[in-house]
Amino acid sequence: MPLHGLMTGTLDYLRRPLVANITPGMNVLIVTDTAHDPRVWQAVMSIVSELGADGTLALFDPRPADYYDPPKAVCEAMLHSDLNILLASTGMLHAHANAVAMDAGVPVICMDGGMTLEMFQSGAVTEDQKEMAIRQYWVATNIFGKDARHCRVTSKYGCDFTYSVENRIFIPNMPGDDFVAYKIQNVSKVQNRKSNMLRFLYPNGEFNIPPVEYSGSGKLVIDLCMHQVGRISSPIELTVEHGRIVKIDGGADAHFLRNYLEQYGDENAYVCPAEASVGINSKAQIRGVQREDKNILGTMHFGLGTNVDVGGTLLSNIHMDGVILEPTLYVDGDKRIENGRFLRPIDGPLG
């Protein structure tokens, strides 16, 4: 029997967000596809049953691209669940169906994007949730600050990219004594920015910013991984003018991205950056899977496409994140991150 067919290792970390959010009698919909590691949804179904909830599995063919909706019957079922658990091989957090469900008050636990059972046993999922929430507050406050206006990002691969964050730095609440680890959050209340999100991401670990639309300029070089592409074999260079990608250079991965955007994108899919975020998870590892890699402490990832759900104004067919492993970040001319190392405290106040 191939190893991927065996249920091995601990389910402790996989259980934690389920135990924190599921109560007896809840109707829970597990949304997955035939390309995802089946052991994950099998384990989740067992845990849901153990917790006394009524679990339903929606299993379908993989979607052609990240953030494409599941089949219509599944979209309809998502509106009538008490909780949706996303476990598809493609990302569905920003999918229209999930946005509509959250607008209707249905929360989501997002564990999609190709995470295998082993990835739910080590790495990013083992990070202390409260410590990370505290770190998110200090990254927002010390690395950026609510009055930040202009960012510049460089890297050893030739990245030199600028964008505006004026009035787009939203300082999250400092977690208090009532903080509950793994609990679904109302993002608009906890992170103090306009959002319809009722969600818990797992694994998690980012401070995200929706930059001012159409402010991006320069060369953005993605060097670690990207939605759909996976682990990058050679850097992808995006030439951005007036906030839109006008050229994509590089090797095979760049070729794939060009074709992918032509086939599945729309006008707003070329807006860059739609998101500019910093990884804050000290336990995250390089997996070649976007769900984990973008959370690695000191990384930055930049999004294309939809950002209305994180405080921006854009809607698109897609949302794609690309990760820079060791960025250097300047905020209003002052260096705050150097080759992936924070130059200001991220665990307490300045000074």
Side-chain angles (χ1 to χ4, degrees), residues 66 196 287:
D66 281 290
N196 70 335
R287 307 277 199 187

Side-chain angles (χ1 to χ4, degrees), residues 153-346:
V153 176
T154 63
S155 79
K156 62 184 178 182
Y157 292 106
C159 180
D160 196 344
F161 187 60
T162 62
Y163 53 95
S164 172
V165 295
E166 188 171 7
N167 299 319
R168 292 294 181 91
I169 304 297
F170 304 104
I171 308 296
N173 298 333
M174 172 69 84
D177 294 337
D178 59 347
F179 178 84
V180 179
Y182 308 100
K183 197 72 174 176
I184 287 169
Q185 295 182 341
N186 183 324
V187 171
S188 65
K189 293 181 178 180
V190 175
Q191 299 191 11
N192 300 310
R193 55 189 168 95
K194 184 179 178 181
S195 175
N196 70 335
M197 284 196 173
L198 302 169
R199 53 86 169 135
F200 180 72
L201 308 180
Y202 199 56
N204 54 352
E206 62 182 287
F207 172 65
N208 58 19
I209 300 168
V212 176
E213 290 78 4
Y214 309 107
S215 66
S217 180
K219 303 284 187 182
L220 177 62
V221 182
I222 306 302
D223 59 50
L224 180 57
C225 73
M226 193 167 193
H227 276 119
Q228 292 296 127
V229 178
R231 180 74 181 274
I232 289 173
S233 58
S234 59
I236 300 173
E237 181 180 291
L238 308 177
T239 301
V240 180
E241 297 177 359
H242 305 294
R244 294 187 61 82
I245 298 170
V246 297
K247 192 177 180 184
I248 301 174
D249 290 310
D253 294 329
H255 177 83
F256 174 87
L257 180 60
R258 283 194 299 270
N259 291 340
Y260 180 87
L261 289 174
E262 288 175 6
Q263 184 172 1
Y264 298 113
D266 53 19
E267 184 177 354
N268 282 345
Y270 292 86
V271 176
C272 181
E275 177 187 351
S277 302
V278 177
I280 60 170
N281 188 314
S282 66
K283 301 294 181 62
Q285 302 174 5
I286 295 174
R287 307 277 199 187
V289 174
Q290 188 69 21
R291 172 59 56 203
E292 174 140 358
D293 290 13
K294 68 180 182 179
N295 298 313
I296 295 170
L297 187 68
T299 60
M300 293 188 71
H301 64 271
F302 293 87
L304 318 178
T306 292
N307 72 355
V308 68
D309 47 2
V310 294
T313 64
L314 297 171
L315 284 171
S316 172
N317 290 341
I318 66 170
H319 178 93
M320 297 183 73
D321 292 326
V323 183
I324 300 175
L325 180 60
E326 296 178 330
T328 294
L329 169 69
Y330 300 84
V331 178
D332 294 325
D334 184 56
K335 189 185 294 185
R336 304 290 172 85
I337 299 175
E338 184 174 32
N339 297 326
R341 295 182 299 106
F342 292 99
L343 301 181
R344 288 184 167 197
I346 58 171

